[in-house]
């Protein structure tokens, strides 16, 4: 998802439902691109759900990737989420 840059707090709230003040947000910077990573949990019909998000900010746009999945599905998943998120870049 691509959103207008400027209000990081609003972008985070729109994509996960939590404010930045309610999350631990890890910020890094590479080649002028700010990267914000965060996780959250929410209640689902079959138990807790785990969310993970990354926002890349180039000063003009927020490029957003999020995943929301059922807790405990990582062991049975063929997707290695750490690799998926690590590959998310503007390069």
């Amino acid at each position: 998802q691509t959103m207008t840059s400027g209000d990081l707090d609003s972008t985070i709230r729109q994509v996960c439902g939590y404010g930045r003040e309610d999350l631990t947000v890890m910020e890094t910077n590479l080649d002028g691109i700010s990267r914000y990573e965060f996780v959250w949990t929410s209640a689902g019909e079959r138990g807790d759900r785990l969310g993970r998000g990354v926002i890349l900010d180039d000063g003009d746009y927020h490029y957003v990737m999020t995943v929301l999945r059922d807790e405990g599905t990582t062991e049975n998943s063929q997707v290695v989420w750490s690799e998926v998120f690590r590959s998310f870049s503007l390069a």
Side-chain angles (χ1 to χ4, degrees):
Q1 184 174 2
T2 304
M3 306 169 90
T4 302
S5 181
D7 190 348
L8 180 64
D9 296 335
S10 176
T11 298
I12 290 173
R13 188 174 299 282
Q14 287 181 46
V15 300
C16 75
Y18 290 96
R20 186 175 182 181
E21 69 279 359
D22 299 320
L23 303 168
T24 299
V25 179
M26 301 292 293
E27 178 181 358
T28 56
N29 193 299
L30 180 63
D31 298 327
I33 305 296
S34 296
R35 181 182 181 99
Y36 304 92
E37 297 188 50
F38 50 95
V39 297
W40 72 94
T41 61
S42 62
E45 291 181 11
R46 293 179 276 159
D48 287 340
R49 304 196 79 201
L50 302 175
R52 182 172 176 179
V54 173
I55 299 171
L56 303 177
D57 185 353
D58 67 359
D60 294 317
Y61 295 98
H62 288 157
Y63 302 90
V64 183
M65 180 173 68
T66 60
V67 170
L68 186 60
R69 58 183 171 74
D70 292 335
E71 181 180 42
T73 59
T74 302
E75 297 80 19
N76 299 328
S77 176
Q78 293 182 2
V79 177
V80 180
W81 289 110
S82 60
E83 291 179 20
V84 172
F85 279 87
R86 192 171 27 255
S87 71
F88 185 57
S89 71
L90 299 183

